[in-house]
Amino acid sequence: MKFDKKPNYSNPISPITIEQSRLKRNQYLLSLLQEGQRLGLITSQRAYQIQLEMMQILQQLIQQHTQGESTSVSSETAQGLMTSLMYAIDTYTLLFETPEEAIAHLQDENMKDIYSKGVELLRHYFEEAKQLYRDVKKMKLDVPVDAYQMTIDESLPVFMKHYDIIFEAQNTMASIDYPLAIDDMRLRGVFYIKQYLERLQLETRFCRFFHQQDVMYMLTNFGNINRINYQIELFNIFELMINNAVFSLLSGGEATDVRISEIQFEQINQMLTASPANQRTKLIHEAVDQLQEDLQTDQALTDYINLYRDELVQRVSNAAEVGSFEKLIIREVNEREKSMVFKVNENDRMSDLQMRNFVDRILESDSTEEKVQLIRRHVVSLHDYLDLLNAECLFNGEYEALFATFGDVELAILAKIVFYEELREDKRDFSDIVAVGAETETEWEVHYIAFMQQLDDTHIRAVGDLMYEINYEDISFY
Amino acid sequence: MNLFDMLNSHQLSQPSNTVMELVHLNEKTKERDLVLTPDDAKTLMLSRNKILRDHARVELSIGVLKELIEVFSASPYMNRDHYVDTLNDLQEIFYYLRNETEDKIGDAKLIQQMNDYYNGPCGGSIELLRSKMEELAEKFRGDITLHHSLFEGYE
């Protein structure tokens, strides 16, 4: 990792060199001391002195942490404080180009000064991370991908609000869901968040080369091809966009045109399947070069794309080996005319109070027929149906009686929900999926599966056909 | 090198210095005929280190032991024959309480509370003090649970 604040130093440096591979990024000081002593670059006396000075800093931290109220802390707290202290010291020692330079400073400088400089650097990096966050927030893509939106709107602010440079500098704090194309999970604390934000910013900048409707087009088709609700899945948007941009170039299209036709798809499929491995790799590299040139990517983005190259080559190679680019190349599939469009209107929902009263009413009734009629008369929205089913106010045969009043559209919608995992990347016919069933402990789902299993094949097929015409985003049931 | 080993293998001052710090307290306690020999001080330190380890705590100074000596030496129930044993018991009770009260009460307040019970209802009995402090810890945990459940109720 490169740092932009390199200290001036004039210490003499030993001609003996330390092997980088023997040093640990996350315990840099400790590994430096071990290697330094092993090679005679640092005396055991000085190493002992360093530890003693660190204990003095730790004692101050304990006092600060207990606000002077207590001289002792739990071992867990002490370890946390010590790790935080060492994180700050590592931050400073990692600034030096070589471990020998770092050791030269450890020889001469007071640990208290080194620690202070480390803390100052952490403050500087934290400020940089805050600025990066503001930039990312400003340029955020307008896409309904929950993980992406929630990471930016909810998770990252947790870090910005709670990151503690003194007592928990090593803690990354926030739980980040949205996956980057290239992520280094070994980093911790502000280093991780800063790198995450830098890369998220690069990825977002890249996606902004494309029209908004093209990004949405890619997401929708990605969801349809994989039979998933892309809105709630964990995947990387940058990868989708760059892959198709490269495939577009490979099939004679423009870098900014990610819409791949059936003809282009066949062309790329043949080209990549027929080529030997080294030729395939060469083709991908040439297309990536072309992409960087056409989009005139700046140095930072060019470097990041270069980090992703091997990943793309590997994915193409895997797809070529199994002879299928169906999932890797998001293509323009001719959309069939939809026979129905199901809209879920929030305004049709009952209020929480209305729903509670309604559930009570259902529970009070002891006639199956009356319950079913009440439900059919009063419930119109899918959300309410799901709330009602999950309220477990029906018993055994009552579920079947309710499902029997449903048309194929309603049954198809419920199938999308109940068989979500099975439909995802499952090439089986719907009849087979129904026959095998799904693993669930939800009562109404168990009854739904049993109900579907007793329908005749023609009926199941009809529900299945309808089901494939319904997109998950049309029935956002969360 | 294991981090925790490193924490526990270090004392900020040399063992002989800590022993001397304890012996110096005799200046304040000798009026009550309470004095520690260097060997007594060593015994107290060894006992302290074991108690800290048993209670999974880290303390880089001997502030607690010094405070226990200063506060309890004024007790009418403290006598020379049981001085070291009583101090060891008090250390044990103190670190037990410190864990049980989840570090939410300061050292001075905790020691004062122990002292009030020791001189008051316990009449100088360490066994009674131990039992009273267990009750205190239980009450403290009960209050914390109540506080949490009330807090959650508002969420």
Side-chain angles (χ1 to χ4, degrees), chain A residues 20-48:
Chain A
Q20 291 279 0
S21 63
R22 299 184 74 104
L23 300 172
K24 294 178 191 159
R25 169 67 177 79
N26 279 334
Q27 285 192 328
Y28 195 60
L29 173 73
L30 288 182
S31 59
L32 265 182
L33 288 180
Q34 269 175 340
E35 277 306 290
Q37 283 184 84
R38 198 178 64 84
L39 298 169
L41 295 175
I42 198 159
T43 64
S44 57
Q45 203 178 1
R46 177 58 193 150
Y48 180 80

PDB file of all heavy atoms in Angstrom, chain A residues 20-48:
ATOM      1  N   GLN A  20      10.219  -9.380   2.854  1.00  0.00           N
ATOM      2  CA  GLN A  20       8.850  -8.863   3.062  1.00  0.00           C
ATOM      3  C   GLN A  20       7.889  -9.985   3.439  1.00  0.00           C
ATOM      4  O   GLN A  20       6.962  -9.771   4.223  1.00  0.00           O
ATOM      5  CB  GLN A  20       8.346  -8.202   1.765  1.00  0.00           C
ATOM      6  CG  GLN A  20       9.044  -6.921   1.410  1.00  0.00           C
ATOM      7  CD  GLN A  20       8.512  -5.707   2.180  1.00  0.00           C
ATOM      8  OE1 GLN A  20       7.607  -5.824   2.985  1.00  0.00           O
ATOM      9  NE2 GLN A  20       9.100  -4.550   1.938  1.00  0.00           N
ATOM     10  N   SER A  21       8.132 -11.169   2.881  1.00  0.00           N
ATOM     11  CA  SER A  21       7.189 -12.272   3.107  1.00  0.00           C
ATOM     12  C   SER A  21       7.155 -12.720   4.576  1.00  0.00           C
ATOM     13  O   SER A  21       6.222 -13.387   4.995  1.00  0.00           O
ATOM     14  CB  SER A  21       7.549 -13.454   2.218  1.00  0.00           C
ATOM     15  OG  SER A  21       8.833 -13.918   2.591  1.00  0.00           O
ATOM     16  N   ARG A  22       8.182 -12.342   5.335  1.00  0.00           N
ATOM     17  CA  ARG A  22       8.204 -12.745   6.746  1.00  0.00           C
ATOM     18  C   ARG A  22       7.467 -11.736   7.627  1.00  0.00           C
ATOM     19  O   ARG A  22       7.388 -11.918   8.836  1.00  0.00           O
ATOM     20  CB  ARG A  22       9.653 -12.898   7.227  1.00  0.00           C
ATOM     21  CG  ARG A  22      10.412 -13.971   6.460  1.00  0.00           C
ATOM     22  CD  ARG A  22      11.790 -14.147   7.032  1.00  0.00           C
ATOM     23  NE  ARG A  22      11.761 -14.857   8.294  1.00  0.00           N
ATOM     24  CZ  ARG A  22      12.104 -16.129   8.446  1.00  0.00           C
ATOM     25  NH1 ARG A  22      12.488 -16.831   7.402  1.00  0.00           N
ATOM     26  NH2 ARG A  22      12.068 -16.695   9.627  1.00  0.00           N
ATOM     27  N   LEU A  23       6.985 -10.653   7.012  1.00  0.00           N
ATOM     28  CA  LEU A  23       6.295  -9.627   7.797  1.00  0.00           C
ATOM     29  C   LEU A  23       4.784  -9.746   7.624  1.00  0.00           C
ATOM     30  O   LEU A  23       4.302 -10.130   6.569  1.00  0.00           O
ATOM     31  CB  LEU A  23       6.755  -8.236   7.351  1.00  0.00           C
ATOM     32  CG  LEU A  23       8.254  -7.979   7.510  1.00  0.00           C
ATOM     33  CD1 LEU A  23       8.625  -6.656   6.873  1.00  0.00           C
ATOM     34  CD2 LEU A  23       8.652  -7.985   8.980  1.00  0.00           C
ATOM     35  N   LYS A  24       4.057  -9.403   8.688  1.00  0.00           N
ATOM     36  CA  LYS A  24       2.597  -9.505   8.638  1.00  0.00           C
ATOM     37  C   LYS A  24       1.994  -8.111   8.560  1.00  0.00           C
ATOM     38  O   LYS A  24       2.314  -7.263   9.391  1.00  0.00           O
ATOM     39  CB  LYS A  24       2.069 -10.201   9.900  1.00  0.00           C
ATOM     40  CG  LYS A  24       2.485 -11.646  10.006  1.00  0.00           C
ATOM     41  CD  LYS A  24       1.951 -12.215  11.305  1.00  0.00           C
ATOM     42  CE  LYS A  24       2.568 -13.573  11.566  1.00  0.00           C
ATOM     43  NZ  LYS A  24       2.489 -13.957  12.963  1.00  0.00           N
ATOM     44  N   ARG A  25       1.112  -7.895   7.594  1.00  0.00           N
ATOM     45  CA  ARG A  25       0.491  -6.588   7.409  1.00  0.00           C
ATOM     46  C   ARG A  25      -0.318  -6.168   8.640  1.00  0.00           C
ATOM     47  O   ARG A  25      -0.344  -5.008   9.027  1.00  0.00           O
ATOM     48  CB  ARG A  25      -0.393  -6.635   6.151  1.00  0.00           C
ATOM     49  CG  ARG A  25      -1.324  -5.453   5.951  1.00  0.00           C
ATOM     50  CD  ARG A  25      -0.531  -4.176   5.674  1.00  0.00           C
ATOM     51  NE  ARG A  25      -1.392  -3.037   5.416  1.00  0.00           N
ATOM     52  CZ  ARG A  25      -2.019  -2.335   6.357  1.00  0.00           C
ATOM     53  NH1 ARG A  25      -1.899  -2.678   7.611  1.00  0.00           N
ATOM     54  NH2 ARG A  25      -2.749  -1.293   6.043  1.00  0.00           N
ATOM     55  N   ASN A  26      -1.009  -7.157   9.251  1.00  0.00           N
ATOM     56  CA  ASN A  26      -1.866  -6.814  10.376  1.00  0.00           C
ATOM     57  C   ASN A  26      -1.182  -6.832  11.739  1.00  0.00           C
ATOM     58  O   ASN A  26      -1.783  -6.501  12.741  1.00  0.00           O
ATOM     59  CB  ASN A  26      -3.096  -7.721  10.403  1.00  0.00           C
ATOM     60  CG  ASN A  26      -4.149  -7.230   9.436  1.00  0.00           C
ATOM     61  OD1 ASN A  26      -4.192  -6.045   9.122  1.00  0.00           O
ATOM     62  ND2 ASN A  26      -4.961  -8.130   8.944  1.00  0.00           N
ATOM     63  N   GLN A  27       0.059  -7.280  11.783  1.00  0.00           N
ATOM     64  CA  GLN A  27       0.830  -7.210  13.040  1.00  0.00           C
ATOM     65  C   GLN A  27       2.233  -6.768  12.655  1.00  0.00           C
ATOM     66  O   GLN A  27       3.210  -7.456  12.911  1.00  0.00           O
ATOM     67  CB  GLN A  27       0.872  -8.575  13.713  1.00  0.00           C
ATOM     68  CG  GLN A  27      -0.434  -8.943  14.390  1.00  0.00           C
ATOM     69  CD  GLN A  27      -0.305 -10.135  15.291  1.00  0.00           C
ATOM     70  OE1 GLN A  27       0.495 -11.031  15.037  1.00  0.00           O
ATOM     71  NE2 GLN A  27      -1.089 -10.164  16.351  1.00  0.00           N
ATOM     72  N   TYR A  28       2.276  -5.618  12.016  1.00  0.00           N
ATOM     73  CA  TYR A  28       3.523  -5.189  11.389  1.00  0.00           C
ATOM     74  C   TYR A  28       4.629  -4.960  12.411  1.00  0.00           C
ATOM     75  O   TYR A  28       5.734  -5.471  12.269  1.00  0.00           O
ATOM     76  CB  TYR A  28       3.255  -3.924  10.572  1.00  0.00           C
ATOM     77  CG  TYR A  28       4.366  -3.588   9.612  1.00  0.00           C
ATOM     78  CD1 TYR A  28       4.727  -4.475   8.606  1.00  0.00           C
ATOM     79  CD2 TYR A  28       5.057  -2.383   9.688  1.00  0.00           C
ATOM     80  CE1 TYR A  28       5.741  -4.177   7.714  1.00  0.00           C
ATOM     81  CE2 TYR A  28       6.073  -2.068   8.800  1.00  0.00           C
ATOM     82  CZ  TYR A  28       6.413  -2.974   7.820  1.00  0.00           C
ATOM     83  OH  TYR A  28       7.422  -2.677   6.941  1.00  0.00           O
ATOM     84  N   LEU A  29       4.314  -4.226  13.486  1.00  0.00           N
ATOM     85  CA  LEU A  29       5.337  -3.906  14.486  1.00  0.00           C
ATOM     86  C   LEU A  29       5.901  -5.187  15.114  1.00  0.00           C
ATOM     87  O   LEU A  29       7.120  -5.348  15.205  1.00  0.00           O
ATOM     88  CB  LEU A  29       4.738  -3.016  15.582  1.00  0.00           C
ATOM     89  CG  LEU A  29       5.692  -2.770  16.763  1.00  0.00           C
ATOM     90  CD1 LEU A  29       6.814  -1.827  16.364  1.00  0.00           C
ATOM     91  CD2 LEU A  29       4.958  -2.220  17.970  1.00  0.00           C
ATOM     92  N   LEU A  30       5.000  -6.083  15.511  1.00  0.00           N
ATOM     93  CA  LEU A  30       5.467  -7.309  16.163  1.00  0.00           C
ATOM     94  C   LEU A  30       6.348  -8.128  15.225  1.00  0.00           C
ATOM     95  O   LEU A  30       7.393  -8.648  15.629  1.00  0.00           O
ATOM     96  CB  LEU A  30       4.280  -8.156  16.630  1.00  0.00           C
ATOM     97  CG  LEU A  30       3.498  -7.613  17.825  1.00  0.00           C
ATOM     98  CD1 LEU A  30       2.388  -8.562  18.224  1.00  0.00           C
ATOM     99  CD2 LEU A  30       4.416  -7.360  19.016  1.00  0.00           C
ATOM    100  N   SER A  31       5.927  -8.230  13.952  1.00  0.00           N
ATOM    101  CA  SER A  31       6.742  -9.022  13.019  1.00  0.00           C
ATOM    102  C   SER A  31       8.068  -8.310  12.716  1.00  0.00           C
ATOM    103  O   SER A  31       9.100  -8.950  12.531  1.00  0.00           O
ATOM    104  CB  SER A  31       5.964  -9.369  11.750  1.00  0.00           C
ATOM    105  OG  SER A  31       5.533  -8.213  11.103  1.00  0.00           O
ATOM    106  N   LEU A  32       8.019  -6.965  12.706  1.00  0.00           N
ATOM    107  CA  LEU A  32       9.268  -6.202  12.496  1.00  0.00           C
ATOM    108  C   LEU A  32      10.252  -6.466  13.647  1.00  0.00           C
ATOM    109  O   LEU A  32      11.454  -6.664  13.422  1.00  0.00           O
ATOM    110  CB  LEU A  32       8.975  -4.709  12.483  1.00  0.00           C
ATOM    111  CG  LEU A  32       8.743  -3.987  11.167  1.00  0.00           C
ATOM    112  CD1 LEU A  32       8.528  -2.511  11.430  1.00  0.00           C
ATOM    113  CD2 LEU A  32       9.875  -4.184  10.186  1.00  0.00           C
ATOM    114  N   LEU A  33       9.722  -6.446  14.874  1.00  0.00           N
ATOM    115  CA  LEU A  33      10.589  -6.661  16.046  1.00  0.00           C
ATOM    116  C   LEU A  33      11.188  -8.063  16.024  1.00  0.00           C
ATOM    117  O   LEU A  33      12.370  -8.247  16.311  1.00  0.00           O
ATOM    118  CB  LEU A  33       9.800  -6.448  17.345  1.00  0.00           C
ATOM    119  CG  LEU A  33       9.419  -5.008  17.687  1.00  0.00           C
ATOM    120  CD1 LEU A  33       8.644  -4.951  18.997  1.00  0.00           C
ATOM    121  CD2 LEU A  33      10.638  -4.104  17.767  1.00  0.00           C
ATOM    122  N   GLN A  34      10.352  -9.030  15.645  1.00  0.00           N
ATOM    123  CA  GLN A  34      10.843 -10.412  15.594  1.00  0.00           C
ATOM    124  C   GLN A  34      11.940 -10.569  14.554  1.00  0.00           C
ATOM    125  O   GLN A  34      13.021 -11.091  14.833  1.00  0.00           O
ATOM    126  CB  GLN A  34       9.695 -11.366  15.252  1.00  0.00           C
ATOM    127  CG  GLN A  34       8.998 -11.891  16.486  1.00  0.00           C
ATOM    128  CD  GLN A  34       7.791 -12.728  16.147  1.00  0.00           C
ATOM    129  OE1 GLN A  34       7.246 -12.646  15.049  1.00  0.00           O
ATOM    130  NE2 GLN A  34       7.353 -13.535  17.097  1.00  0.00           N
ATOM    131  N   GLU A  35      11.655 -10.072  13.336  1.00  0.00           N
ATOM    132  CA  GLU A  35      12.629 -10.210  12.255  1.00  0.00           C
ATOM    133  C   GLU A  35      13.877  -9.365  12.524  1.00  0.00           C
ATOM    134  O   GLU A  35      14.999  -9.788  12.259  1.00  0.00           O
ATOM    135  CB  GLU A  35      11.993  -9.791  10.916  1.00  0.00           C
ATOM    136  CG  GLU A  35      11.182 -10.878  10.265  1.00  0.00           C
ATOM    137  CD  GLU A  35      11.986 -12.163  10.103  1.00  0.00           C
ATOM    138  OE1 GLU A  35      12.909 -12.217   9.288  1.00  0.00           O
ATOM    139  OE2 GLU A  35      11.679 -13.116  10.851  1.00  0.00           O
ATOM    140  N   GLY A  36      13.631  -8.166  13.065  1.00  0.00           N
ATOM    141  CA  GLY A  36      14.740  -7.255  13.379  1.00  0.00           C
ATOM    142  C   GLY A  36      15.707  -7.895  14.367  1.00  0.00           C
ATOM    143  O   GLY A  36      16.933  -7.815  14.204  1.00  0.00           O
ATOM    144  N   GLN A  37      15.151  -8.570  15.373  1.00  0.00           N
ATOM    145  CA  GLN A  37      16.006  -9.223  16.380  1.00  0.00           C
ATOM    146  C   GLN A  37      16.712 -10.436  15.789  1.00  0.00           C
ATOM    147  O   GLN A  37      17.873 -10.688  16.048  1.00  0.00           O
ATOM    148  CB  GLN A  37      15.159  -9.665  17.581  1.00  0.00           C
ATOM    149  CG  GLN A  37      14.802  -8.508  18.497  1.00  0.00           C
ATOM    150  CD  GLN A  37      14.044  -9.007  19.716  1.00  0.00           C
ATOM    151  OE1 GLN A  37      14.622  -9.433  20.684  1.00  0.00           O
ATOM    152  NE2 GLN A  37      12.732  -8.963  19.633  1.00  0.00           N
ATOM    153  N   ARG A  38      15.964 -11.168  14.957  1.00  0.00           N
ATOM    154  CA  ARG A  38      16.524 -12.393  14.366  1.00  0.00           C
ATOM    155  C   ARG A  38      17.750 -12.053  13.500  1.00  0.00           C
ATOM    156  O   ARG A  38      18.756 -12.744  13.514  1.00  0.00           O
ATOM    157  CB  ARG A  38      15.461 -13.095  13.506  1.00  0.00           C
ATOM    158  CG  ARG A  38      15.750 -14.559  13.196  1.00  0.00           C
ATOM    159  CD  ARG A  38      14.612 -15.158  12.386  1.00  0.00           C
ATOM    160  NE  ARG A  38      14.463 -14.543  11.070  1.00  0.00           N
ATOM    161  CZ  ARG A  38      15.169 -14.899  10.001  1.00  0.00           C
ATOM    162  NH1 ARG A  38      16.021 -15.887  10.066  1.00  0.00           N
ATOM    163  NH2 ARG A  38      14.995 -14.279   8.842  1.00  0.00           N
ATOM    164  N   LEU A  39      17.653 -10.917  12.777  1.00  0.00           N
ATOM    165  CA  LEU A  39      18.751 -10.544  11.878  1.00  0.00           C
ATOM    166  C   LEU A  39      19.761  -9.616  12.559  1.00  0.00           C
ATOM    167  O   LEU A  39      20.682  -9.123  11.919  1.00  0.00           O
ATOM    168  CB  LEU A  39      18.183  -9.857  10.621  1.00  0.00           C
ATOM    169  CG  LEU A  39      17.263 -10.724   9.769  1.00  0.00           C
ATOM    170  CD1 LEU A  39      16.557  -9.891   8.711  1.00  0.00           C
ATOM    171  CD2 LEU A  39      18.058 -11.841   9.094  1.00  0.00           C
ATOM    172  N   GLY A  40      19.547  -9.336  13.833  1.00  0.00           N
ATOM    173  CA  GLY A  40      20.492  -8.485  14.569  1.00  0.00           C
ATOM    174  C   GLY A  40      20.387  -7.015  14.214  1.00  0.00           C
ATOM    175  O   GLY A  40      21.319  -6.235  14.452  1.00  0.00           O
ATOM    176  N   LEU A  41      19.242  -6.597  13.630  1.00  0.00           N
ATOM    177  CA  LEU A  41      19.079  -5.178  13.285  1.00  0.00           C
ATOM    178  C   LEU A  41      18.613  -4.374  14.499  1.00  0.00           C
ATOM    179  O   LEU A  41      18.700  -3.152  14.516  1.00  0.00           O
ATOM    180  CB  LEU A  41      18.040  -5.013  12.166  1.00  0.00           C
ATOM    181  CG  LEU A  41      18.410  -5.621  10.819  1.00  0.00           C
ATOM    182  CD1 LEU A  41      17.254  -5.500   9.843  1.00  0.00           C
ATOM    183  CD2 LEU A  41      19.641  -4.922  10.252  1.00  0.00           C
ATOM    184  N   ILE A  42      18.068  -5.105  15.471  1.00  0.00           N
ATOM    185  CA  ILE A  42      17.578  -4.416  16.657  1.00  0.00           C
ATOM    186  C   ILE A  42      17.961  -5.273  17.881  1.00  0.00           C
ATOM    187  O   ILE A  42      17.844  -6.503  17.824  1.00  0.00           O
ATOM    188  CB  ILE A  42      16.041  -4.197  16.531  1.00  0.00           C
ATOM    189  CG1 ILE A  42      15.553  -3.124  17.481  1.00  0.00           C
ATOM    190  CG2 ILE A  42      15.242  -5.447  16.714  1.00  0.00           C
ATOM    191  CD1 ILE A  42      14.228  -2.530  17.055  1.00  0.00           C
ATOM    192  N   THR A  43      18.460  -4.638  18.917  1.00  0.00           N
ATOM    193  CA  THR A  43      18.888  -5.436  20.079  1.00  0.00           C
ATOM    194  C   THR A  43      17.686  -5.874  20.903  1.00  0.00           C
ATOM    195  O   THR A  43      16.642  -5.219  20.872  1.00  0.00           O
ATOM    196  CB  THR A  43      19.811  -4.598  21.001  1.00  0.00           C
ATOM    197  OG1 THR A  43      19.026  -3.505  21.506  1.00  0.00           O
ATOM    198  CG2 THR A  43      21.020  -4.081  20.268  1.00  0.00           C
ATOM    199  N   SER A  44      17.846  -6.955  21.640  1.00  0.00           N
ATOM    200  CA  SER A  44      16.730  -7.435  22.455  1.00  0.00           C
ATOM    201  C   SER A  44      16.435  -6.409  23.553  1.00  0.00           C
ATOM    202  O   SER A  44      15.303  -6.256  23.996  1.00  0.00           O
ATOM    203  CB  SER A  44      17.044  -8.796  23.059  1.00  0.00           C
ATOM    204  OG  SER A  44      18.231  -8.700  23.805  1.00  0.00           O
ATOM    205  N   GLN A  45      17.487  -5.670  23.954  1.00  0.00           N
ATOM    206  CA  GLN A  45      17.303  -4.625  24.963  1.00  0.00           C
ATOM    207  C   GLN A  45      16.355  -3.533  24.449  1.00  0.00           C
ATOM    208  O   GLN A  45      15.445  -3.098  25.142  1.00  0.00           O
ATOM    209  CB  GLN A  45      18.666  -4.020  25.276  1.00  0.00           C
ATOM    210  CG  GLN A  45      18.713  -3.360  26.616  1.00  0.00           C
ATOM    211  CD  GLN A  45      20.109  -2.805  26.900  1.00  0.00           C
ATOM    212  OE1 GLN A  45      21.029  -2.915  26.064  1.00  0.00           O
ATOM    213  NE2 GLN A  45      20.261  -2.209  28.060  1.00  0.00           N
ATOM    214  N   ARG A  46      16.608  -3.119  23.186  1.00  0.00           N
ATOM    215  CA  ARG A  46      15.751  -2.082  22.603  1.00  0.00           C
ATOM    216  C   ARG A  46      14.323  -2.621  22.400  1.00  0.00           C
ATOM    217  O   ARG A  46      13.341  -1.920  22.629  1.00  0.00           O
ATOM    218  CB  ARG A  46      16.342  -1.592  21.266  1.00  0.00           C
ATOM    219  CG  ARG A  46      15.501  -0.556  20.516  1.00  0.00           C
ATOM    220  CD  ARG A  46      15.221   0.692  21.324  1.00  0.00           C
ATOM    221  NE  ARG A  46      14.189   1.531  20.720  1.00  0.00           N
ATOM    222  CZ  ARG A  46      13.358   2.324  21.382  1.00  0.00           C
ATOM    223  NH1 ARG A  46      13.441   2.425  22.689  1.00  0.00           N
ATOM    224  NH2 ARG A  46      12.460   3.047  20.757  1.00  0.00           N
ATOM    225  N   ALA A  47      14.232  -3.899  21.968  1.00  0.00           N
ATOM    226  CA  ALA A  47      12.908  -4.511  21.770  1.00  0.00           C
ATOM    227  C   ALA A  47      12.142  -4.510  23.098  1.00  0.00           C
ATOM    228  O   ALA A  47      10.953  -4.215  23.142  1.00  0.00           O
ATOM    229  CB  ALA A  47      13.040  -5.922  21.233  1.00  0.00           C
ATOM    230  N   TYR A  48      12.847  -4.808  24.192  1.00  0.00           N
ATOM    231  CA  TYR A  48      12.218  -4.823  25.517  1.00  0.00           C
ATOM    232  C   TYR A  48      11.775  -3.414  25.901  1.00  0.00           C
ATOM    233  O   TYR A  48      10.671  -3.199  26.402  1.00  0.00           O
ATOM    234  CB  TYR A  48      13.214  -5.376  26.544  1.00  0.00           C
ATOM    235  CG  TYR A  48      12.632  -5.419  27.943  1.00  0.00           C
ATOM    236  CD1 TYR A  48      11.786  -6.445  28.336  1.00  0.00           C
ATOM    237  CD2 TYR A  48      12.936  -4.416  28.875  1.00  0.00           C
ATOM    238  CE1 TYR A  48      11.241  -6.475  29.606  1.00  0.00           C
ATOM    239  CE2 TYR A  48      12.396  -4.439  30.146  1.00  0.00           C
ATOM    240  CZ  TYR A  48      11.553  -5.478  30.515  1.00  0.00           C
ATOM    241  OH  TYR A  48      11.013  -5.497  31.763  1.00  0.00           O
TER     242      TYR A  48
END
